[in-house]
Amino acid sequence: MFFGLAWYWWLVIMAVLMAYIPFKIKCMKWWRKRQQEKDGRRGKWGDDE
């Protein structure tokens, strides 16, 4: 088949991607929130350079 992989390997790859993408989005939202909180604290305490 495509790239020499059997059809069931494509199902495994697709299942992994479908599980990975929402996890990555959740992590990106968490990281963005964490960075905003971090930036907000810097100005509040006068650590600005």
Side-chain angles (χ1 to χ4, degrees):
M1 292 204 55
F2 197 59
F3 289 126
L5 295 176
W7 63 272
Y8 51 86
W9 285 113
W10 288 109
L11 291 177
V12 171
I13 291 169
M14 293 304 292
V16 168
L17 286 176
M18 290 179 75
Y20 173 74
I21 291 172
F23 178 73
K24 181 174 179 160
I25 291 171
K26 184 176 180 179
C27 288
M28 288 173 59
K29 286 181 181 179
W30 172 81
W31 185 258
R32 189 178 320 129
K33 182 180 175 185
R34 182 176 176 266
Q35 290 298 338
Q36 287 175 350
E37 289 173 357
K38 197 176 189 181
D39 291 341
R41 274 188 268 138
R42 186 180 306 138
K44 181 178 178 181
W45 296 103
D47 296 346
D48 295 330
E49 295 181 285

